[in-house]
Amino acid sequence: MALHHRAVLLLWAIAWLFAATVAQPQSSITTFDNLPARLFFFDDSTAAIYHDVVKGIVYVSQDEGKTWSAADGVPEGRASMVIEHPFDNRVAFILSRGTKHYRTIDRGKTWQSFEMPIQPALVGRPLSFHADTEKWGYVLYQGTTCSGSGWKTVCYDETYYTKDAFSSDSKLLLADTSRCQFAHSSKDFKHEAHQDLIYCVAFENSGTGGAHTLSSSRLYHSTDFFETEKKVEDLGIGKNARGVVAFAIVSKFAVVALKDLSEGSAGDMLLYVSEDTKNWAQARFPHSSSARLRENAYTIVESTTHSLAVDVLSHDKSSIGTLFVSNSNGTYFVESLKDTNRNEMGYVDFETIYGVEGVGLANVVANAEEVEGRQAQKHLQTRITFDDGRTWGRLKPPSTDEKGDRISCSPNNEDCSLHFHSVTLPHNFGRVFSSPAPGLIMGVGSIGPYLAPYDESDTFLSTDGGISWRMVQEGAHKYEFGDQGSILVAVDDEEGVDFINYSTDFGKTWRTYNFGTRMRARILTTVADSTSQKFLLVGQLAKKDQKDGRRFGVVFLDFATLDRPKCGERDFEEWKARSSTHECLMGHKQSYKRRRPDANCYVGEKFLDPVPHEEPCPCTDEDYECDYNFVRDGDKCVPVGPEPIPADVCQDPSDEYYGSSGYRRIPGNTCDRDRGVKKDERVKKPCSNAQPVEGQIIHQTFEFPSLVVQYAYFRQSTVILIRLLDNSIWQSPNEGYTWNRLRPEQTFVAFYHHKFSDDRAYLITNSKKHYYTTDTGKSWQEFESPTPPNTFGLPVLHFHPQESEYIIWTGQEGCDGFGESCHMQSHYSLNNGGRWTLIDKYVRNCAWARDQELRIDPNQILCESYKVKQGNQRFFGLENPLELIAGKQFYDKKIKLFDHVVGFAKFSEYLIVAEYQASRQSLDIQVSLNGETFAPGEFPPSMRPDQHAYTILESSTKSIFLHVTTSEPPAPYWGNILKSNSNGTYFGLSLPNVNRNNDGYVDFEKMINLDGIALVNVVSNPSEAPLTGRKLLQTMITHNDGGSWRPLAAPKQDSHGNRYACDSTKCALHVHGYTERYDVRATFSTPSVPGLLMAVGNVGESLERYEDSDTFLSRDAGFTWEEVHKDAHLWEFGDSGSILIMANDEGPTDHVMFSTDEGLSWREYKFTDEPVRVKAIVTVPEDTSRRFILLGYYPRAKDAAVAIHLDFSSLTRTKCRYDPEDPAHDDFELWSPSEERAEQCLFGRQTLYHRRRRDANCIVGDLRQTVETVVRNCECTDRDFECEWNYIRDDNERCVLMPGLKPHEADPVAQCRNGEDFWYELTPYRKVPISTCEGGKRLDRGAAHPCPGLRGHGVFFWLMMLLIPISFAALAGYWYYRRGGYSRGAIRLPGADSGSRYSGGSGVLDTLASVPWFLVGVAGIAYEWVAEKFDYLAIQFRGRGGYRNLPVDEDAQILRFEDED
């Protein structure tokens, strides 16, 4: 009996084993005419949708794709788009190209039609949904409506809404929209806003239709569907919140992208972020020109619930970016990964691993320099992060291939790494690498120094979240995960096959299943959460298998037939996510329960996503960030100023209070404080550290061990650097409130702020080891230079205006000892000093040719290079010519521009070269607007700069001001100011006998932000001065850009109310100028208050000694003046002029004077018992702060410095009110410099400025950004024109042809390029480029002729020309999308779509936004509608330049740092 039972058991075991070996998946195939534009499963269901967009048919399957049928009730040819409800898995919509659409509320079983007033808009996602499941019927519909007919058809978008999923008639929400979205449209974006809050990007002229300007695009919001409430979201910047390009909700953040159209901006792209829909903050990037997003695209890539990740295009000629990761509130970004790979559509090779916090894969371009400079093919390398982008490492490859044979290189070698194809080259629907299967990652890639082509790649698998990898299939395969990873399926992706490979043991072994039909695989997918055992394979059938013209097949693969038992508790294991070195992230460890690899069972938890288990970690320093009102300073968080406290605290100044430690736990962080560091515990502080009560002023004193020799703020920042005479550098993150010494062990000879990137600075030592920051001094990193810095007194660093990583280093070589071969060398780096390439030896100056407004090849380098390259460069003179070399492709292709130069300078859009003519020992000025063709500067006959030096003053008004030295030793220095025409080639006399000093600097200064106003000092005794050696100076001012000059009008009385002794017509006000300043940055004017000037001078016939001068102020741009105090004072402007401070500049003082009414009244504040000799008053460069630093020394210790921090922030807490709708009752006035000027208009316009009223005692703060400038264009007059090419003004001020030259011919094509009706013959005149005049006298226009074009052909011609392109539009759509539809200028916000057609008539193409709904899944958009939006904007970039002195004497030194503009 026992034997019989044993036999039965044996037979049963054999039968079970046989059944297990023969158990196979099952399959069936359904054929289709076309590939799907969309193929998706309703979430957590077996229902699927297959959309054939070509035939306009939607197919539905209710059994996971086994059988398919056309959507019931939807006519063939009507389905243009299918959109599933993201928050209700029963609902989906089919949109047609017309007004009749369809809805299902039972996952496609039945469909009902509904009508809309207008057709859907040509955007990627016309529907937007409410995230509340109770409001599943709340849907926004974006459509397009058109009016007119034929050539006059005008179209614009409107948005409608429904509260019942279109069961009843929809209602108009808002017209002229480009996107509307519910504030509650993401489950991660949690806030307390009204449930019905809606945001709309729309235009101000709503309802009028037609073309729109970008400046009228704003973000509106409403809580009642815009029935009675329509508010502009001002983002905290008021009226400047215009130019809105896109709005999206990303993770827990609301993000707005807009173009900065504020006064004086360069058209940068800006991001504003909110966590609560109430408070918005601008996202700050630590890179600037590239981060200013002016011409660059950026993509918000997959982000976590505690930070945003943004990739910014950082190269001009190639799709290469930089990845940035934000802090917890999404406002401050740090660089995470450089040289990331992008494609031209803005997609980035970056993907986070599903379900595993902190792990992500990205591709970088290893040869970014060669790709950008020489258009080389990209060499891609894959990097992985386990700590949310803080650090990145290579992928260590497996040591063997899929057959067990050893790979050809050593895995421990850096050149032997694993690299993957990623997002930019998608080969399947959905995510590229991972799925909800815990820890399982697959990819197609190669092993080696960089990524091989796709058809030369293999397929790899990781089962531990990316730590280790195995090659599992030879060749490239499509792959998919099923049943939480218990089934892996792969299909060949290089050629047609009739089989798939699958694994049930995490890829250790693979089996093959033949489904009987040969096809070229296109898509392999399963249910979204990868919990099913059923898969869909879509492919193109072999011709022999095609029936009835159906070229594509969907193979249904069912692995439930493998007869595996359901997994029990023993079949599962705990898998710990992330590597052992990065176990804790956001304060916790993460683990999953998953099936053991060797367990032969199925999980069977269909539609149940794996749930992570989180174990708190002890808190560490990484779990904390700076608290509010604190900033990072190195490894510490320090206060930005006195800490705000409740009103009832600190009644007695000697008391103590409990305040912030400076740290807070990062929001969302779950670390265990009891077992770790408690950095956020409140600490006891003296009440002297607290914010004072209103009306009080406070100060802090800090003594330095040596004198200050260099200081400068980071622009747009509260961080200041100071270098002392003892070669130490000190930093304050809070405007001088606290100080710390940087790198005490180092000897620093200089520091440089990046000229074009506000966040970067460089600390230069006397060796090859230096330091840089990319985050305004929060952290400093080392870099090594190829040579020590030069000691020739010339700039060490030059910066690129667009690429903040591009720097040029000019050092010295061979200068030790006797230095027989001592010379200067220049190197360039394209990665901020990571790697250097030699430019040239024996140079004096090498710089990037491109400048902010000088649009030269961005990869060109200009060098002043000595012809004979031997000997000691220090002793070179004019006998060794200094050549000017232009080197394109990073100096690989060199062209000699000039044989002998003194130097070159870049000002605005001009490249100016001082060419030395050895034959006559004189200078020629050569001017270029493109860096290739030069024109000599033509001077008046008596003004040739023979034997003279000249100083280029500035060129902010599209012409060059030049000082030509006409008197030089043994006589005192002075010269004439000449002004050029707009191309810088013809110069005319503006003012003679203008003072200069021995270093070439000139008493010339233009008012900041006010065109055409400048002050100079002239030598009034040019006949006597050469004999006496004493110059008598008089001050002159121009209000029409050098057209005429006049003396400064003297005040009627002094500050005591007494009349001046000098009251004749010879008397005027004279002020000390540029050449006498201790700090050249202490300008007369301020960028924050139009028309306000301060100066030290006297009333008399000429300028007296500085010690005999008094202090004066003007509020009307120098037309009238008033004496505000006796004696010479230093001064500074604060908070946009709401506070002025002065300190005596004639001796030590113990107090400052301050005024809150622009000098009407002054009060004293005593800051010390021991008087201090104040040498400078410093505040932020924008003059917008109420905090100041006095720099000076105590007379008892003249070899040491003292810094006194003065804080006037609590003097008043009343904020200024600006109301353009009711200007009579706000705190601002409208003022124009033309009020006192003889000419009403300058440069063809009258400009009016809003500024704070003099008697308004309030804080301007950030309100300055919102206050608008009013510009009114004027009729054209003679002053708006200059001489045309080859013409010059005669004695009668008429433009006449220069002898021997011919007039230029008109260019009809150029004149008609922007759609003009007529072109004009040229005259001797042309319009000044900066003039914006309209109508009036047009001296530049000769006879008119119709533009060639539309009027030159018959109707039939144009009908054919228009019909032919339209016929091909549908065929070209997908190609255009892939090749250029989403250009490199696109801004990508997931979940956002671009706006309507923007037009401004400039003809400058700027693709602002064309945004897909999903970041990945390109094919899902490619086969559907593709819409492209354009912005036509003419943007003028304007800056304020400094001096560049170019003397004949080549030994003369440039004394200024490049950042001292």
Side-chain angles (χ1 to χ4, degrees):
M1 188 69 175
L3 182 62
H4 174 71
H5 279 297
R6 284 196 295 271
V8 171
L9 288 173
L10 180 62
L11 288 173
W12 182 85
I14 293 173
W16 183 88
L17 181 64
F18 176 77
T21 58
V22 299
Q24 290 283 319
Q26 290 186 358
S27 63
S28 62
I29 186 169
T30 306
T31 57
F32 293 88
D33 294 311
N34 300 288
L35 279 173
R38 295 291 313 281
L39 176 61
F40 66 88
F41 286 87
F42 285 88
D43 194 29
D44 293 343
S45 79
T46 60
I49 293 290
Y50 185 112
H51 179 207
D52 181 346
V53 73
V54 177
K55 298 194 71 174
I57 302 176
V58 168
Y59 298 93
V60 182
S61 173
Q62 298 294 335
D63 52 10
E64 297 186 69
K66 186 174 184 179
T67 60
W68 296 87
S69 60
D72 184 30
V74 182
E76 182 176 339
R78 298 299 301 273
S80 292
M81 183 177 288
V82 184
I83 301 174
E84 70 274 31
H85 198 302
F87 308 109
D88 192 319
N89 64 359
R90 303 164 302 158
V91 183
F93 300 89
I94 295 176
L95 301 185
S96 71
R97 288 186 173 87
T99 59
K100 188 174 184 178
H101 313 295
Y102 304 88
R103 181 199 71 183
T104 179
I105 55 174
D106 54 10
R107 302 190 183 101
K109 293 178 182 177
T110 60
W111 297 83
Q112 302 82 37
S113 66
F114 62 93
E115 289 279 350
M116 292 299 297
I118 56 177
Q119 64 188 27
L122 293 177
V123 296
R125 199 83 167 179
L127 301 182
S128 181
F129 303 89
H130 202 291
D132 188 348
T133 55
E134 297 296 321
K135 296 191 174 187
W136 67 271
Y138 281 44
V139 184
L140 304 180
Y141 172 98
Q142 185 176 343
T144 299
T145 182
C146 299
S147 60
S149 60
W151 300 101
K152 296 184 178 180
T153 300
V154 174
C155 298
Y156 57 93
D157 289 357
E158 294 179 343
T159 300
Y160 287 77
Y161 73 93
T162 175
K163 296 182 180 180
D164 54 14
F166 304 105
S167 294
S168 60
D169 292 342
S170 59
K171 297 180 180 180
L172 178 65
L173 179 76
L174 200 60
D176 282 300
T177 58
S178 54
R179 176 162 184 82
C180 291
Q181 189 170 353
F182 289 103
H184 294 272
S185 59
S186 168
K187 293 183 178 179
D188 292 327
F189 186 42
K190 299 173 183 178
H191 50 85
E192 303 300 321
H194 193 284
Q195 280 294 307
D196 293 338
L197 177 62
I198 295 174
Y199 285 104
C200 282
V201 180
F203 298 91
E204 289 179 304
N205 54 339
S206 181
T208 62
H212 299 282
T213 60
L214 180 61
S215 61
S216 67
S217 177
R218 295 184 179 274
L219 181 65
Y220 296 92
H221 69 261
S222 175
T223 57
D224 65 356
F225 296 89
F226 291 95
E227 290 182 5
T228 61
E229 181 187 47
K230 179 184 177 183
K231 296 181 179 179
V232 175
E233 188 63 63
D234 67 4
L235 307 177
I237 57 175
K239 287 280 188 176
N240 285 332
R242 53 196 175 94
V244 176
V245 171
F247 170 83
I249 291 175
V250 186
S251 185
K252 69 169 186 177
F253 307 100
V255 184
V256 178
L258 72 153
K259 198 161 214 177
D260 186 1
L261 302 177
S262 61
E263 180 73 17
S265 77
D268 302 349
M269 283 294 176
L270 306 175
L271 283 184
Y272 280 81
V273 181
S274 176
E275 293 182 287
D276 57 9
T277 74
K278 297 176 183 177
N279 301 297
W280 295 84
Q282 182 182 344
R284 303 286 181 179
F285 290 85
H287 61 135
S288 258
S289 54
S290 49
R292 288 168 62 184
L293 311 177
R294 182 170 58 233
E295 295 175 349
N296 297 342
Y298 55 89
T299 302
I300 298 185
V301 297
E302 285 187 294
S303 302
T304 67
T305 56
H306 55 268
S307 65
L308 276 174
V310 178
D311 190 87
V312 179
L313 184 71
S314 58
H315 290 68
D316 273 347
K317 298 182 178 180
S318 52
S319 297
I320 302 174
T322 302
L323 182 67
F324 296 88
V325 178
S326 78
N327 59 351
S328 65
N329 61 17
T331 58
Y332 184 79
F333 287 78
V334 295
E335 185 179 292
S336 176
L337 186 63
K338 286 180 55 61
D339 296 332
T340 51
N341 185 51
R342 305 163 56 94
N343 62 17
E344 292 187 352
M345 295 175 287
Y347 290 99
V348 182
D349 275 346
F350 172 82
E351 183 178 289
T352 59
I353 302 306
Y354 188 97
V356 184
E357 285 185 340
V359 183
L361 291 168
N363 281 349
V364 298
V365 181
N367 61 333
E369 298 178 15
E370 289 77 14
V371 173
E372 175 69 6
R374 303 174 183 86
Q375 301 301 296
Q377 185 175 0
K378 290 180 178 179
H379 292 169
L380 302 184
Q381 296 177 337
T382 298
R383 299 287 183 262
I384 190 168
T385 178
F386 294 98
D387 54 8
D388 219 6
R390 292 195 188 106
T391 59
W392 294 82
R394 72 183 185 102
L395 289 180
K396 190 174 181 180
S399 57
T400 59
D401 61 16
E402 84 288 354
K403 298 175 184 176
D405 299 331
R406 295 196 63 82
I407 62 173
S408 59
C409 59
S410 171
N412 295 321
N413 192 329
E414 286 287 336
D415 289 334
C416 183
S417 298
L418 180 59
H419 313 287
F420 285 127
H421 292 274
S422 185
V423 175
T424 58
L425 192 67
H427 284 264
N428 204 2
F429 275 8
R431 303 183 67 83
V432 176
F433 299 112
S434 60
S435 78
L440 299 187
I441 310 173
M442 292 187 74
V444 172
S446 62
I447 299 172
Y450 47 83
L451 182 62
Y454 188 80
D455 56 5
E456 298 176 15
S457 298
D458 302 302
T459 307
F460 297 83
L461 168 71
S462 172
T463 60
D464 54 11
I467 298 173
S468 62
W469 295 84
R470 298 199 310 271
M471 185 187 298
V472 292
Q473 293 289 323
E474 183 179 7
H477 285 67
K478 296 187 190 298
Y479 45 84
E480 189 55 274
F481 310 84
D483 192 40
Q484 296 189 21
S486 79
I487 304 171
L488 307 180
V489 180
V491 61
D492 195 299
D493 198 22
E494 297 184 25
E495 58 185 21
V497 294
D498 56 2
F499 62 90
I500 54 95
N501 299 309
Y502 68 95
S503 173
T504 59
D505 55 6
F506 287 12
K508 291 182 178 179
T509 60
W510 292 81
R511 304 174 191 172
T512 299
Y513 171 68
N514 191 308
F515 51 82
T517 304
R518 189 175 183 84
M519 62 168 56
R520 178 67 170 88
R522 300 298 186 193
I523 303 166
L524 178 62
T525 188
T526 183
V527 296
D529 56 12
S530 295
T531 57
S532 172
Q533 298 185 73
K534 300 175 177 62
F535 297 77
L536 295 181
L537 173 63
V538 183
Q540 185 170 352
L541 300 173
K543 284 190 175 180
K544 65 182 181 65
D545 295 321
Q546 295 179 10
K547 297 178 181 179
D548 300 326
R550 296 196 163 194
R551 300 179 299 134
F552 299 93
V554 174
V555 179
F556 169 76
L557 298 167
D558 186 359
F559 290 86
T561 58
L562 293 182
D563 292 334
R564 297 181 300 166
K566 194 176 188 308
C567 295
E569 191 63 31
R570 294 183 178 180
D571 295 314
F572 290 91
E573 65 179 2
E574 181 187 23
W575 174 73
K576 293 184 178 181
R578 297 193 291 269
S579 71
S580 59
T581 58
H582 299 91
E583 279 189 314
C584 294
L585 186 69
M586 287 299 287
H588 57 261
K589 299 178 182 178
Q590 190 180 41
S591 62
Y592 282 92
K593 173 185 172 184
R594 73 175 185 184
R595 201 204 67 167
R596 295 201 321 270
D598 57 352
N600 185 29
C601 59
Y602 71 94
V603 177
E605 301 295 336
K606 207 167 185 179
F607 309 131
L608 291 178
D609 293 348
V611 179
H613 171 70
E614 295 182 357
E615 177 186 347
C617 301
C619 290
T620 65
D621 289 348
E622 288 188 349
D623 298 309
Y624 295 91
E625 65 182 10
C626 290
D627 202 354
Y628 294 111
N629 298 309
F630 287 79
V631 294
R632 177 73 62 180
D633 185 25
D635 57 353
K636 299 177 182 178
C637 291
V638 299
V640 297
E643 186 175 4
I645 58 174
D648 57 344
V649 177
C650 286
Q651 298 295 327
D652 188 331
S654 61
D655 288 346
E656 293 182 323
Y657 71 99
Y658 279 94
S660 171
S661 65
Y663 300 89
R664 66 167 182 165
R665 197 160 45 158
I666 297 172
N669 190 293
T670 58
C671 70
D672 187 346
R673 294 175 70 254
D674 293 334
R675 294 190 296 129
V677 179
K678 300 178 181 178
K679 296 188 72 171
D680 57 348
E681 282 202 331
R682 300 184 76 79
V683 296
K684 185 178 289 188
K685 301 179 180 181
C687 284
S688 58
N689 286 5
Q691 189 179 73
V693 297
E694 186 170 2
Q696 285 190 357
I697 304 167
I698 61 171
H699 70 272
Q700 294 272 13
T701 301
F702 187 88
E703 295 188 36
F704 293 109
S706 183
L707 291 176
V708 174
V709 294
Q710 185 186 1
Y711 59 90
Y713 270 97
F714 286 86
R715 292 185 296 273
Q716 304 291 330
S717 169
T718 61
V719 183
I720 184 173
L721 296 176
I722 280 184
R723 181 169 63 90
L724 303 182
L725 189 61
D726 64 4
N727 294 317
S728 64
I729 287 184
W730 298 72
Q731 175 177 293
S732 171
N734 43 25
E735 302 176 80
Y737 187 68
T738 60
W739 294 90
N740 68 287
R741 184 175 177 179
L742 300 177
R743 309 289 177 171
E745 72 282 3
Q746 292 293 340
T747 298
F748 295 104
V749 296
F751 67 78
Y752 285 79
H753 280 95
H754 197 297
K755 187 176 180 180
F756 306 102
S757 178
D758 295 350
D759 308 277
R760 295 182 179 232
Y762 301 79
L763 310 182
I764 309 301
T765 72
N766 57 1
S767 65
K768 293 183 181 181
K769 180 180 178 181
H770 317 282
Y771 301 86
Y772 72 90
T773 179
T774 60
D775 54 11
T776 59
K778 294 180 177 65
S779 61
W780 293 89
Q781 287 79 40
E782 291 183 11
F783 77 97
E784 188 167 315
S785 63
T787 58
N790 77 79
T791 57
F792 286 67
L794 295 170
V796 175
L797 285 171
H798 284 281
F799 305 104
H800 198 284
Q802 293 177 301
E803 304 295 340
S804 52
E805 296 282 297
Y806 289 16
I807 56 177
I808 291 177
W809 174 275
T810 303
Q812 64 186 30
E813 188 68 34
C815 296
D816 296 334
F818 292 103
E820 296 178 356
S821 61
C822 176
H823 65 278
M824 290 172 61
Q825 291 184 3
S826 286
H827 295 73
Y828 73 86
S829 172
L830 303 184
N831 57 0
N832 207 37
R835 184 170 58 193
W836 296 96
T837 303
L838 177 67
I839 301 173
D840 204 353
K841 300 179 180 180
Y842 283 91
V843 298
R844 202 184 73 160
N845 179 33
C846 287
W848 301 104
R850 190 165 180 119
D851 209 29
Q852 280 184 312
E853 297 181 53
L854 182 62
R855 304 306 175 82
I856 297 177
D857 179 357
N859 298 334
Q860 181 173 321
I861 297 173
L862 294 173
C863 275
E864 300 167 7
S865 179
Y866 284 101
K867 182 176 182 179
V868 180
K869 297 184 180 298
Q870 61 183 17
N872 190 324
Q873 183 177 330
R874 294 189 188 276
F875 304 119
F876 286 176
L878 294 174
E879 72 282 353
N880 188 359
L882 190 64
E883 301 174 331
L884 183 61
I885 309 296
K888 293 189 175 182
Q889 295 185 4
F890 303 107
Y891 219 69
D892 274 0
K893 294 184 177 180
K894 292 179 280 189
I895 301 173
K896 183 167 65 174
L897 298 178
F898 295 97
D899 293 322
H900 197 168
V901 300
V902 172
F904 71 89
K906 296 177 291 180
F907 273 78
S908 298
E909 68 270 35
Y910 304 102
L911 174 60
I912 305 167
V913 177
E915 183 183 19
Y916 182 69
Q917 298 293 348
S919 59
R920 64 176 191 266
Q921 294 187 333
S922 65
L923 295 179
D924 275 347
I925 290 180
Q926 300 285 345
V927 182
S928 176
L929 297 174
N930 61 10
E932 297 178 357
T933 57
F934 287 80
E938 295 291 340
F939 292 86
S942 62
M943 291 291 167
R944 294 281 322 163
D946 300 344
Q947 299 287 346
H948 302 308
Y950 64 87
T951 303
I952 303 163
L953 300 176
E954 71 95 51
S955 55
S956 63
T957 53
K958 305 296 181 183
S959 59
I960 300 170
F961 277 88
L962 184 73
H963 183 275
V964 178
T965 299
T966 57
S967 174
E968 53 193 0
Y973 279 113
W974 69 77
N976 297 344
I977 286 183
L978 307 181
K979 181 187 176 185
S980 78
N981 59 347
S982 65
N983 57 36
T985 55
Y986 303 135
F987 289 83
L989 178 64
S990 177
L991 187 65
N993 305 327
V994 178
N995 183 50
R996 60 155 279 194
N997 65 10
N998 295 347
D999 294 322
Y1001 295 115
V1002 181
D1003 273 342
F1004 173 94
E1005 183 177 321
K1006 277 207 166 184
M1007 280 201 66
I1008 303 172
N1009 291 345
L1010 285 181
D1011 289 339
I1013 303 175
L1015 288 90
V1016 299
N1017 281 339
V1018 299
V1019 178
S1020 64
N1021 61 333
S1023 301
E1024 296 81 12
L1027 303 175
T1028 64
R1030 178 169 179 254
K1031 295 183 284 189
L1032 298 180
L1033 302 183
Q1034 295 179 342
T1035 301
M1036 308 288 284
I1037 190 169
T1038 179
H1039 287 89
N1040 57 5
D1041 209 40
S1044 61
W1045 298 83
R1046 64 181 62 190
L1048 294 183
K1052 293 182 180 179
Q1053 57 188 24
D1054 65 11
S1055 55
H1056 294 163
N1058 301 319
R1059 296 186 65 86
Y1060 290 99
C1062 182
D1063 58 1
S1064 69
T1065 55
K1066 295 182 180 180
C1067 296
L1069 174 63
H1070 310 287
V1071 298
H1072 294 270
Y1074 191 93
T1075 60
E1076 299 182 67
R1077 289 183 187 147
Y1078 172 78
D1079 181 2
V1080 297
R1081 293 167 291 188
T1083 54
F1084 293 133
S1085 57
T1086 169
S1088 63
V1089 191
L1092 187 63
L1093 296 93
M1094 289 189 72
V1096 170
N1098 63 276
V1099 173
E1101 295 185 10
S1102 62
L1103 185 63
E1104 301 291 346
R1105 295 188 317 153
Y1106 187 81
E1107 295 80 6
D1108 298 328
S1109 301
D1110 302 312
T1111 308
F1112 295 83
L1113 178 145
S1114 173
R1115 295 190 70 248
D1116 55 10
F1119 283 103
T1120 62
W1121 292 81
E1122 57 194 80
E1123 183 182 298
V1124 293
H1125 211 281
K1126 291 295 183 182
D1127 300 329
H1129 285 73
L1130 300 173
W1131 69 87
E1132 191 53 271
F1133 309 92
D1135 188 36
S1136 302
S1138 76
I1139 186 164
L1140 312 179
I1141 76 165
M1142 298 191 304
N1144 191 286
D1145 196 26
E1146 296 185 6
T1149 183
D1150 61 357
H1151 68 275
V1152 293
M1153 308 288 295
F1154 68 93
S1155 173
T1156 58
D1157 52 17
E1158 295 180 9
L1160 281 179
S1161 61
W1162 294 87
R1163 289 179 278 174
E1164 284 188 12
Y1165 176 71
K1166 185 177 179 180
F1167 57 83
T1168 180
D1169 291 329
E1170 182 180 3
V1172 172
R1173 181 63 173 99
V1174 179
K1175 298 298 292 181
I1177 306 176
V1178 187
T1179 187
V1180 295
E1182 301 80 23
D1183 293 348
T1184 54
S1185 174
R1186 285 191 157 222
R1187 297 187 176 105
F1188 304 86
I1189 305 171
L1190 306 181
L1191 294 178
Y1193 59 86
Y1194 292 112
R1196 59 172 166 80
K1198 294 184 178 182
D1199 57 349
V1202 62
I1204 297 107
H1205 167 86
L1206 298 176
D1207 189 348
F1208 294 84
S1209 300
S1210 296
L1211 199 58
T1212 179
R1213 300 211 174 120
T1214 302
K1215 293 186 177 181
C1216 296
R1217 179 172 173 267
Y1218 171 61
D1219 187 354
E1221 306 300 327
D1222 186 17
H1225 296 92
D1226 69 4
D1227 295 314
F1228 289 83
E1229 64 183 4
L1230 202 59
W1231 172 83
S1232 172
S1234 63
E1235 291 177 2
E1236 301 288 339
R1237 192 168 56 207
E1239 304 92 348
Q1240 188 75 8
C1241 301
L1242 183 64
F1243 304 122
R1245 58 187 175 270
Q1246 181 187 18
T1247 307
L1248 297 95
Y1249 302 88
H1250 280 98
R1251 63 182 188 181
R1252 188 191 66 108
R1253 297 181 191 274
R1254 193 170 192 177
D1255 58 353
N1257 185 21
C1258 56
I1259 299 173
V1260 178
D1262 294 335
L1263 189 62
R1264 182 180 67 92
Q1265 303 174 19
T1266 72
V1267 178
E1268 293 185 320
T1269 299
V1270 181
V1271 178
R1272 300 169 183 166
N1273 287 336
C1274 307
E1275 286 192 351
C1276 296
T1277 66
D1278 293 354
R1279 290 183 176 275
D1280 296 301
F1281 299 92
E1282 64 184 10
C1283 292
E1284 184 56 88
W1285 292 91
N1286 296 338
Y1287 285 81
I1288 192 168
R1289 291 194 184 270
D1290 63 11
D1291 294 339
N1292 297 318
E1293 289 298 305
R1294 293 178 303 181
C1295 292
V1296 296
L1297 189 65
M1298 297 180 66
L1301 299 180
K1302 295 181 179 180
H1304 280 208
E1305 296 292 332
D1307 185 351
V1309 175
Q1311 290 192 39
C1312 297
R1313 186 169 293 147
N1314 295 324
E1316 286 81 356
D1317 293 331
F1318 299 93
W1319 65 272
Y1320 299 89
E1321 294 181 8
L1322 298 185
T1323 73
Y1325 300 89
R1326 66 173 177 174
K1327 191 178 174 185
V1328 177
I1330 197 174
S1331 174
T1332 58
C1333 70
E1334 299 172 340
K1337 298 172 62 176
R1338 290 306 301 260
L1339 301 180
D1340 59 330
R1341 291 181 176 177
H1345 304 274
C1347 279
L1350 182 61
R1351 296 164 182 79
H1353 298 280
V1355 174
F1356 180 76
F1357 171 87
W1358 282 107
L1359 185 62
M1360 292 303 297
M1361 291 301 293
L1362 290 169
L1363 285 178
I1364 291 172
I1366 292 172
S1367 301
F1368 289 97
L1371 297 177
Y1374 176 65
W1375 178 88
Y1376 179 70
Y1377 170 85
R1378 293 301 302 266
R1379 300 294 298 170
Y1382 291 122
S1383 76
R1384 292 170 60 250
I1387 300 163
R1388 296 192 170 276
L1389 302 179
D1393 287 293
S1394 62
S1396 223
R1397 273 62 63 190
Y1398 305 120
S1399 63
S1402 74
V1404 179
L1405 179 63
D1406 183 12
T1407 306
L1408 285 177
S1410 204
V1411 187
W1413 182 259
F1414 296 110
L1415 192 61
V1416 292
V1418 177
I1421 308 151
Y1423 290 103
E1424 295 187 348
W1425 294 333
V1426 178
E1428 193 64 8
K1429 317 297 186 183
F1430 300 108
D1431 167 38
Y1432 297 89
L1433 287 174
I1435 303 171
Q1436 292 182 333
F1437 303 101
R1438 303 182 56 203
R1440 178 175 181 266
Y1443 290 95
R1444 176 77 193 268
N1445 175 39
L1446 298 174
V1448 174
D1449 179 8
E1450 291 191 303
D1451 291 330
Q1453 298 179 357
I1454 306 299
L1455 302 178
R1456 305 179 62 249
F1457 289 95
E1458 199 179 50
D1459 61 329
E1460 292 178 353
D1461 286 347

